[in-house]
Amino acid sequence: MSAPAPRSTVRHYVSRVAFVVVVVLVAAFFALPLTWLVTAPFDASPTLTVEWPQWTLANFRSLAENPYALRSIGNSLVLGLGTIAVVVTLGALAAYALSRVRIPGRDGLLYALLLLSSVVTGTAAMVPLFQLMVQVGLINTQTGVVLAMSGGLLPTVVFILKDFMDSIPKSYEESARLYGARPGQILRHVVVPIARPGLAFVSVWVLVQVWGNFLLPFILLRSPESQPAAVIMYTFYTESGQADLSLISAFSLVFSVPVIAIYFLVNRRYGFRFHGGIKS
Amino acid sequence: MRRTTWGAVAGAAAATLVLAACTGGDPEEPADASEAAEGPVTLTIVTNAISGGKNAAEADWIADWLIPEFESAMEAEGRDVTVVFEAQGVDDEDYKTKIALDLQAGGGADIIGMDGIWVGEFAEAGYIAPLSEVGGSAVDEWDGWEQIPDAVQNALSFDGERYGIPQGADGRVLFYNKTLFAQAGLDEDWEPTSWDEVLDAARALKEIEGVIPIQLNAGTAMGEATTMQGVLPMLVGTGAQVWDEDGWLGGTEELGQVLDLYRTIYVDEGLGDPVLQQEAAGRDTSFAQFAAGEIGILLEGDYFWRSVINPAEGVGTAPMADRDEVVGYTRIPAREPGTGVNGQDFVSMSGGTGRVLNPGSENPELAWELLAFMNSAEAFESRVAGTVSITPRDDVNATVLEGDPMLTYISEEVLPLSSYRPGLAAYPEVSLALQDATASVVAGDPVEDVLAAYTDAVAGIVGDENVNDG
Amino acid sequence: MAPALALIGLFLIFPALWTVYLGMTDYRLTGLAAADPTVVGLENYTSILGDPGFWRSLRLTLVFVLASGVLGQTLLGFSIAWALRRLSGPVKSVVETLVLAAWVVPSSVGAFLWLALLDRRAGTLNALLGTEGTAWLIEHPMAGIVVFNIWVGTAFSMLLFSSALNGVPPSQMESARMAGATAWQQLRDVVLPNIRAHILTNTLLITLWTFNTFTPYLLTAGGPNDESAILPVYIYRTAIPGGQLGMGAAISLIMLLINLVIALASMRVGRERRRRS
């Protein structure tokens, strides 16, 4: 496929231009819907159209006066971080164990759980989950919501993490063991550092799932003081279902910023990188 | 029976797994109040209203007036009562699901707000019970009943028994834009007496560039709004009801007339915008367009006047500064004079929300006291002080509606003619079938085919034997 | 391991089995059937399979999964990861940030952003294209939710593949380049064999997620006239506004079986490829 030099230069030039155009188009595709999120909240009278705002912070002021709005962000954080703690810890252990222990039909089992999780996170499992929480006495508690969400998210997390765990060479652990490291130490000093990009990734993924979940917290929690932002957002509609754009636009931004910020924090600290080439 | 079986299974499985996991810790007791009646008592209220959001006026009233007033009234009697308000404020279907789950599990607030049309299905499920069974003899002795007209009480009744107290009454009328009417050469004091006269006005309005002559709710995207502000007001104008002694409405001649009207408006003559009624936010848009003077005639309830186009600061969601001058309202005519239900010339539909007592309440009699307190004349006077609406009580209406010609009109001219939906469990599904039927007609399907499909759908819901094919 | 199993057992397997049981009853949330549900065996399944609405919904779902998940998210995600793999600096971080922002924005917010963008009267897209009055979600509901779902979900594939591409041994890439392989040849001969497991993971997860996503409901509510009523919307409509929870549970199980078939098929394809190479 080696072409003569001049033609290759032209082709190289053309392909660079095409590359830039495509990258710009892709960026525009993702950016376009997001522009409303950064203009409307600051507009004195937000509409659905993206336009240069008549700058004001009045929308945020009325949001701050709403008795539930800001507190709900805190509730979302509690639910999100709680679920991350449960799911990532248990998921990492389970994924590591599954990756190292040879159980017949292991992958099948994991996939079966993954399928079941799709049922449990759907509308139809609402009644069983609710009844279960009543029976175990966790109704109207944030713990209950965290556990219910964790159950639905764990299989996916184990599934994703197992891929990362599988890519850790056994030789690393073996040499650590030769130096007398205990399993806990191997986990902490060998496995976790290597799987860190994976852990960071599933943390963000779990946060995104919890952050947007409406149905579970809504049915499992009674008092509006403990409801997360995903539920409170739906209250900004009038009797006839009209959206209150000034509240919704400001709240959308406030609602989105923490999860974006956490993503950046996690990404900057842990990154989605592997260190060095892993030989398989 | 089922509840206990499931409970036992769940409990056993839970216990096993919790033990296996050694996660330990006692599960917290459910947060229900369980103090004896003697000591301090907590009552809870749940309604689909939340401060700063949906139905905020009601939520604020509960928090700022009802709770302090009731607590201090109780204190005056030497009782220590705390009232907790569990504000919700979400989509009605989601709210309904939540309270059903709570009631099914034997929990839930002592006083529960609900839409009148849910009463039947909740009662059949055994989630709620007649008021007098729950609240004791004080219920029938309440002096408030004689102030609430029977028709209004019926909104929260099922099988001839009162399950709750309605919290308001509403009626539906045709709203029209007088400026557009003048432009089209129509009389600004409009009182159509038949569908044809409505269509004639719409045809005249069609001559004006950029104006949708008439918008009659249709399709599934608008949900119950299609049924309540579309199909049913037209249906009662043909003399039929969605349910009567003979069973559920089938693909009858009367429904055919209603669907023909839809076809005339949306398909044959292009008097309405068929895209608008398919949009997910179509109803909002119809409000905004009416407020902007782009819709000539719109069938809506009185809250459209009170809460949507109300020019008062912060009340209307699509305020019209010149509402009182520009917007006219008139009763919905029957298809032809005298063809409406009970031989009426004009018709309307009413619905209503209200509040019921939880049969599982720890303090049912006290809960009734609170409910009666919520529905006292004094309570309604304070409730409607900010934004006037029609209360269920005649004595309160007599004073608060004075000086509000629109609501007086609804109360005096429209409510007496109004029909109500059947509070039966199958209603929501039949309603959906009606919405589907309008959607198909607007999409251009022939009316006969739609009628046949509708008949099948209803038969599938309630069984062949319960369909009235007329 | 044990706590994970317990959690999965209690909050996953148990409610899932309960749902399967519900699928064999005429259970409803309200009404007579709520007070006294009866086991109807496979009746729910026969009536679902006899409902043309179900088949239509299934067809729409398959189109949706194929177009937005398998083709859209995977290909776009991989292309972005591939294109950005050797870039650094502002271009890379801007593109990555935008793609990720679409993914992390809460679904209700994301849906609202698209409603605003595509609005018939005040939508920004109509203003940009000069197509005032085009009701995109009414005229092209499926295309609308497909594009929306690509926008939401591409980040996952992008992240997964850029992690995977970073894991491709640079030495292999280097030797391929030294041997004069084109980008396409490098991709085919070095990269794809190295990231096969990730491709399988990606396909399985994306398929499953796309099958089960309810967010398009926020955009079109399944309309107009059910033209975008994918299965999760069909289940929601049956279970909540329709009140037939037993029926809804039965559809969930059917959906699970369809997912199982897809998974088995894609695992087989993956395994055969591995054997061949």
Side-chain angles (χ1 to χ4, degrees):
Chain A
M1 278 294 275
S2 57
R7 258 181 70 195
S8 137
T9 321
V10 171
R11 206 170 56 189
H12 181 77
Y13 181 72
V14 169
S15 77
R16 287 316 285 175
V17 170
F19 177 79
V20 170
V21 168
V22 170
V23 169
V24 167
L25 282 180
V26 168
F29 168 66
F30 284 94
L32 193 55
L34 290 166
T35 39
W36 189 82
L37 191 57
V38 290
T39 58
F42 303 99
D43 197 332
S45 55
T47 61
L48 290 177
T49 318
V50 172
E51 54 203 348
W52 194 247
Q54 304 157 268
W55 297 97
T56 174
L57 289 176
N59 297 332
F60 293 95
R61 225 169 291 131
S62 58
L63 192 67
E65 285 162 16
N66 185 289
Y68 306 107
L70 296 181
R71 192 199 315 227
S72 72
I73 303 282
N75 291 328
S76 285
L77 279 175
V78 170
L79 294 181
L81 299 178
T83 312
I84 288 178
V86 173
V87 168
V88 173
T89 313
L90 297 186
L93 290 173
Y96 180 66
L98 272 181
S99 165
R100 291 299 178 261
V101 181
R102 289 242 155 254
I103 311 171
R106 167 187 72 168
D107 291 347
L109 182 78
L110 191 51
Y111 196 73
L113 288 180
L114 200 59
L115 283 178
L116 286 184
S117 76
S118 73
V119 171
V120 167
T121 49
T123 319
M126 184 183 59
V127 173
L129 273 175
F130 181 88
Q131 300 268 3
L132 181 65
M133 286 301 164
V134 171
Q135 292 299 330
V136 299
L138 288 175
I139 197 76
N140 204 18
T141 62
Q142 296 191 321
T143 316
V145 180
V146 165
L147 289 177
M149 294 216 204
S150 301
L153 297 175
L154 249 181
T156 313
V157 166
V158 176
F159 192 87
I160 295 177
L161 283 182
K162 197 180 147 287
D163 262 2
F164 283 91
M165 298 294 182
D166 285 347
S167 69
I168 300 172
K170 285 212 180 70
S171 57
Y172 283 26
E173 296 155 60
E174 275 153 19
S175 38
R177 206 168 293 129
L178 278 181
Y179 286 105
R182 279 175 287 113
Q185 287 175 317
I186 294 178
L187 207 61
R188 196 166 331 122
H189 298 298
V190 177
V191 177
V192 168
I194 295 179
R196 191 168 280 159
L199 296 175
F201 177 76
V202 293
S203 303
V204 172
W205 182 78
V206 166
L207 185 70
V208 170
Q209 302 305 309
V210 176
W211 207 255
N213 195 323
F214 163 77
L215 194 63
L216 260 182
F218 172 68
I219 61 167
L220 295 182
L221 296 172
R222 292 207 178 107
S223 91
E225 285 82 17
S226 56
Q227 292 286 9
V231 173
I232 295 300
M233 176 150 177
Y234 283 101
T235 67
F236 298 146
Y237 289 80
T238 62
E239 185 183 1
S240 55
Q242 271 188 294
D244 183 335
L245 282 185
S246 43
L247 273 182
I248 284 189
S249 61
F251 192 68
S252 295
L253 188 60
V254 174
F255 185 19
S256 305
V257 162
V259 68
I260 295 177
I262 289 175
Y263 161 72
F264 276 111
L265 205 76
V266 169
N267 189 30
R268 169 158 305 179
R269 254 198 94 183
Y270 304 109
F272 296 112
R273 291 179 303 267
F274 281 106
H275 299 283
I278 292 164
K279 317 266 183 313
S280 50
Chain B
M1 184 60 208
R2 169 191 47 79
R3 216 174 288 159
T4 44
T5 322
W6 282 4
V9 175
T16 324
L17 285 160
V18 168
L19 282 177
C22 299
T23 47
D26 318 70
E28 267 178 72
E29 279 299 307
D32 297 9
S34 54
E35 283 86 359
E38 291 301 308
V41 174
T42 302
L43 290 174
T44 45
I45 303 174
V46 63
T47 67
N48 199 11
I50 191 164
S51 182
K54 182 167 178 164
N55 299 329
E58 185 192 354
D60 290 336
W61 171 74
I62 291 175
D64 300 339
W65 187 87
L66 177 69
I67 294 180
E69 290 287 325
F70 185 73
E71 285 179 350
S72 63
M74 287 291 109
E75 208 182 314
E77 292 179 27
R79 284 193 279 180
D80 183 0
V81 178
T82 311
V83 180
V84 175
F85 174 45
E86 289 172 355
Q88 301 298 328
V90 292
D91 180 64
D92 284 343
E93 288 296 342
D94 294 324
Y95 173 74
K96 178 184 171 190
T97 304
K98 179 170 181 152
I99 57 174
L101 284 170
D102 265 336
L103 286 167
Q104 183 199 41
D110 297 284
I111 292 180
I112 299 171
M114 66 167 65
D115 194 313
I117 50 162
W118 303 342
V119 167
E121 31 180 332
F122 275 65
E124 283 186 345
Y127 296 162
I128 56 175
L131 271 184
S132 50
E133 276 178 31
V134 183
S137 56
V139 172
D140 290 330
E141 291 157 14
W142 186 49
D143 58 9
W145 292 121
E146 58 202 54
Q147 297 295 340
I148 305 178
D150 285 348
V152 176
Q153 285 186 27
N154 274 337
L156 266 280
S157 298
F158 174 65
D159 245 2
E161 300 251 30
R162 293 191 285 242
Y163 278 77
I165 306 182
Q167 59 177 322
D170 64 358
R172 274 142 190 83
V173 290
L174 293 173
F175 289 95
Y176 61 97
N177 186 311
K178 291 182 183 174
T179 313
L180 296 178
F181 266 53
Q183 243 177 296
L186 295 163
D187 189 355
E188 289 179 41
D189 290 318
W190 187 46
E191 191 165 43
T193 56
S194 68
W195 290 0
D196 280 338
E197 289 185 31
V198 176
L199 290 173
D200 284 341
R203 287 175 191 124
L205 287 164
K206 200 183 176 195
E207 301 304 313
I208 309 174
E209 186 71 21
V211 164
I212 301 170
I214 182 168
Q215 202 62 31
L216 183 63
N217 288 354
T220 49
M222 294 198 188
E224 188 62 16
T226 290
T227 326
M228 267 307 257
Q229 272 93 241
V231 182
L232 293 187
M234 295 300 115
L235 188 67
V236 289
T238 65
Q241 298 251 45
V242 66
W243 181 86
D244 61 23
E245 317 65 89
D246 298 329
W248 290 92
L249 175 80
T252 61
E253 189 193 337
E254 287 86 358
L255 182 60
Q257 291 167 342
V258 173
L259 295 179
D260 277 333
L261 177 69
Y262 271 102
R263 191 175 167 86
T264 308
I265 291 176
Y266 288 107
V267 182
D268 293 342
E269 300 195 24
L271 299 172
D273 179 353
V275 179
L276 183 67
Q277 55 83 33
Q278 298 178 14
E279 285 180 77
R283 193 156 170 238
D284 292 6
T285 312
S286 75
F287 293 164
Q289 285 195 295
F290 187 93
E294 291 163 7
I295 290 180
I297 306 166
L298 183 67
L299 197 166
E300 271 297 343
D302 57 86
Y303 67 88
F304 176 70
W305 179 271
R306 289 186 277 117
S307 315
V308 179
I309 53 173
N310 193 337
E313 176 74 27
V315 177
T317 49
M320 287 180 83
D322 48 2
R323 174 191 72 173
D324 295 353
E325 294 80 55
V326 170
V327 181
Y329 42 86
T330 186
R331 290 178 295 181
I332 303 165
R335 188 172 60 84
E336 276 165 21
T339 61
V341 279
N342 309 320
Q344 286 169 200
D345 297 338
F346 297 95
V347 292
S348 180
M349 287 300 297
S350 294
T353 55
R355 304 179 186 101
V356 302
L357 290 184
N358 185 344
S361 169
E362 306 266 348
N363 304 286
E365 281 160 21
L366 194 62
W368 164 255
E369 274 188 60
L370 174 56
L371 185 61
F373 190 84
M374 287 176 97
N375 290 286
S376 62
E378 196 194 356
F380 275 113
E381 276 158 18
S382 110
R383 169 72 179 85
V384 299
T387 48
V388 178
S389 63
I390 302 170
T391 78
R393 294 183 67 113
D394 288 339
D395 51 354
V396 180
N397 286 344
T399 57
V400 299
L401 298 187
E402 208 170 83
D404 190 315
M406 160 67 189
L407 292 179
T408 307
Y409 181 80
I410 297 279
S411 172
E412 288 173 7
E413 306 285 330
V414 176
L415 281 183
L417 301 168
S418 203
S419 307
Y420 288 79
R421 293 165 289 185
L424 297 172
Y427 172 76
E429 276 183 88
V430 175
S431 171
L432 202 59
L434 286 169
Q435 294 159 28
D436 272 333
T438 60
S440 305
V441 169
V442 177
D445 295 357
V447 169
E448 304 81 67
D449 298 0
V450 176
L451 277 177
Y454 167 80
T455 311
D456 286 348
V458 176
I461 298 165
V462 298
D464 274 324
E465 65 284 5
N466 296 316
V467 179
N468 171 14
D469 283 335
Chain C
M1 190 68 191
L5 274 183
L7 191 75
I8 286 179
L10 184 56
F11 295 109
L12 177 71
I13 297 180
F14 183 64
L17 293 181
W18 195 335
T19 310
V20 171
Y21 166 73
L22 275 187
M24 289 188 286
T25 67
D26 65 350
Y27 183 66
R28 280 166 175 269
L29 195 55
T30 59
L32 288 174
D36 189 19
T38 45
V39 174
V40 295
L42 297 179
E43 211 173 274
N44 285 337
Y45 293 91
T46 50
S47 75
I48 292 163
L49 297 180
D51 177 7
F54 166 76
W55 292 105
R56 175 182 181 164
S57 177
L58 178 60
R59 202 175 59 240
L60 291 176
T61 313
L62 292 174
V63 170
F64 179 66
V65 170
L66 199 72
S68 80
V70 179
L71 290 178
Q73 294 182 6
T74 306
L75 285 187
L76 187 59
F78 182 84
S79 309
I80 295 174
W82 179 253
L84 298 183
R85 76 193 184 287
R86 269 174 300 150
L87 289 181
S88 55
V91 175
K92 182 180 172 126
S93 50
V94 164
V95 175
E96 273 191 351
T97 305
L98 288 173
V99 178
L100 274 154
W103 183 60
V104 296
V105 159
S107 50
S108 50
V109 174
F112 203 87
L113 293 177
W114 276 82
L115 284 177
L117 179 72
L118 299 180
D119 189 75
R120 183 177 166 203
R121 272 157 227 91
T124 306
L125 189 65
N126 279 340
L128 284 180
L129 300 180
T131 49
E132 273 78 12
T134 308
W136 295 97
L137 291 172
I138 303 293
E139 290 169 28
H140 313 283
M142 275 306 280
I145 62 174
V146 163
V147 172
F148 168 70
N149 198 47
I150 293 175
W151 182 80
V152 171
T154 297
F156 176 79
S157 297
M158 181 188 83
L159 289 179
L160 188 76
F161 286 127
S162 59
S163 280
L165 289 176
N166 276 324
V168 174
S171 56
Q172 288 185 25
M173 295 288 280
E174 200 52 45
S175 36
R177 210 172 307 139
M178 301 272 266
T182 61
W184 169 246
Q185 285 165 334
Q186 289 174 37
L187 192 67
R188 192 189 57 198
D189 298 332
V190 182
V191 176
L192 290 186
N194 265 298
I195 64 169
R196 175 156 297 133
H198 290 88
I199 295 176
L200 189 60
T201 304
N202 179 77
T203 314
L204 289 180
L205 288 178
I206 296 285
T207 313
L208 195 62
W209 288 339
T210 312
F211 240 98
N212 288 284
T213 181
F214 180 69
T215 320
Y217 181 83
L218 304 177
L219 233 58
T220 62
N225 298 324
D226 292 346
E227 280 170 46
S228 62
I230 51 175
L231 279 172
V233 173
Y234 183 76
I235 293 180
Y236 175 80
R237 288 236 193 104
T238 308
I240 307 289
Q244 300 169 283
L245 281 166
M247 193 77 88
I251 311 168
S252 304
L253 195 67
I254 294 181
M255 211 157 89
L256 183 149
L257 293 176
I258 297 168
N259 277 311
L260 181 66
V261 170
I262 294 176
L264 289 176
S266 47
M267 281 191 204
R268 166 150 304 168
V269 170
R271 211 172 295 139
E272 268 169 17
R273 285 248 180 83
R274 196 176 314 153
R275 210 174 295 137
R276 242 186 293 145
S277 60

